[in-house]
Amino acid sequence: MALLPIVTLGDPFLREPSREVMVEDLPSMQPFIDDLVETMVHANGAGLAAPQVGHGVRICAIWVKDNPRYPYKPNWPLTILVNPVLTPLSPETFVNYEGCLSVPNLRGEVERFAEIRVDALDRTGKPVGYEVRGLTAGTFQHECDHLDGLVFVDRVFNTKSLATWAEFEKHHMEKFATRARAIVAKWGS
Ligand code: NI
């Protein structure tokens, strides 16, 4: 396994829509998926999408386990999504304070659907479908945006919410953690 270099904001590759994965190509992509996960874990990411490490394919990883970058995020088991399609289950939204490994040292407020349905393949090519809610739904939407060449800063509706990580911790963390707890209480994740 290997750590992959993370593409950062400004690199045009991050803005390219990724291509669908053919199921028959998945066996040869397993080492890449392992590297994607290893890179995500090493960088303390809650998720990482293939285009963020220079591969233009519709694959992303999500894994939240007592994440130090997002201490209020509920844990979520390691999930690999291949060709994911997200469908909002209701118009209800919440405001998430997001960061991204491709946007070093910046966070900002983004509106996300509170309840989504996920349809995808797992890493073996098996179709999976389930519903995700709350902060975890926000993580799924953030990662799947990367597959369309979108970055969270595109969705920041109030640029005055933009903050470096140090200033976020100093001025916004406590307030957002309270809001995050309410989101988790309401949606269960
Ligand atoms: Ni990201």
Side-chain angles (χ1 to χ4, degrees):
M1 291 204 282
L3 292 178
L4 305 168
I6 295 177
V7 175
T8 49
L9 193 68
D11 187 324
F13 189 79
L14 204 59
R15 297 338 211 122
E16 303 255 328
S18 294
R19 65 175 190 279
E20 295 264 317
V21 176
M22 308 290 279
V23 177
E24 55 267 34
D25 291 339
L26 275 172
S28 66
M29 296 175 93
Q30 298 302 314
F32 164 69
I33 293 172
D34 289 337
D35 291 347
L36 182 72
V37 172
E38 193 187 1
T39 304
M40 170 181 70
V41 169
H42 182 261
N44 282 327
L48 191 62
Q52 291 183 271
V53 290
H55 288 243
V57 290
R58 300 186 81 80
I59 297 180
C60 56
I62 293 166
W63 193 5
V64 182
K65 199 175 161 221
D66 307 325
N67 191 299
R69 277 163 52 96
Y70 306 98
Y72 44 79
K73 257 190 212 268
N75 285 341
W76 183 265
L78 175 61
T79 304
I80 305 295
L81 300 174
V82 177
N83 300 338
V85 176
L86 304 185
T87 313
L89 293 171
S90 76
E92 196 154 352
T93 60
F94 69 94
V95 173
N96 207 13
Y97 225 122
E98 300 193 1
C100 179
L101 294 175
S102 292
V103 187
N105 203 21
L106 196 68
R107 303 192 61 156
E109 286 186 328
V110 175
E111 195 176 7
R112 295 295 188 186
F113 288 107
E115 313 180 83
I116 55 168
R117 180 176 169 81
V118 183
D119 287 287
L121 304 176
D122 70 11
R123 67 184 290 169
T124 70
K126 189 178 79 157
V128 291
Y130 46 91
E131 295 175 1
V132 185
R133 292 181 165 76
L135 292 180
T136 307
T139 307
F140 274 66
Q141 288 162 85
H142 176 116
E143 294 315 322
C144 290
D145 268 355
H146 280 300
L147 307 180
D148 293 326
L150 289 171
V151 182
F152 84 89
V153 289
D154 302 332
R155 297 193 186 274
V156 170
F157 55 90
N158 173 11
T159 50
K160 288 183 178 163
S161 73
L162 289 170
T164 64
W165 282 70
E167 298 302 338
F168 174 79
E169 279 171 17
K170 207 156 122 192
H171 300 288
H172 305 281
M173 171 78 123
E174 203 179 305
K175 220 181 327 170
F176 182 66
T178 304
R179 259 160 54 199
R181 278 191 291 276
I183 293 163
V184 173
K186 179 166 183 187
W187 299 105
S189 60

